Amino acid sequence: MPIAVDIDVMLARRKMSVGELADRVGITPANLAVLKNGRAKAVRFTTLAALCEVLDCQPGDLLRWEPEDTTDE
């Protein structure tokens, strides 16, 4: 997937656990894990805003675009 999720990076910088972040954002740890591991198909802006508020960051600190490898091997 060309969108990479860097929630792990921000969690480490803030010295916060996944469980604590999930509690403070108001989502289940399972749903946060789906997002954190890049398996989510979508994220609500309200969830993204809550993540940014709790982690004191910008959306670009959590999400980044990576070009897909289209070379034929």
Side-chain angles (χ1 to χ4, degrees):
M1 165 148 300
I3 300 297
V5 182
D6 290 329
I7 291 176
D8 282 341
V9 174
M10 294 307 297
L11 282 171
R13 287 182 183 166
R14 302 298 187 253
K15 296 178 174 67
M16 188 180 298
S17 70
V18 172
E20 180 183 353
L21 179 60
D23 285 343
R24 291 179 62 185
V25 170
I27 61 176
T28 66
N31 283 341
L32 182 56
V34 168
L35 179 60
K36 183 175 75 75
N37 295 324
R39 295 189 317 261
K41 300 291 183 198
V43 60
R44 291 182 179 182
F45 283 150
T46 54
T47 302
L48 184 58
L51 287 166
C52 290
E53 182 177 352
V54 170
L55 293 170
D56 189 30
C57 66
Q58 294 294 313
D61 296 327
L62 301 176
L63 304 172
R64 64 188 156 79
W65 176 80
E66 292 181 342
E68 291 188 69
D69 185 14
T70 57
T71 58
D72 294 329
E73 295 181 22

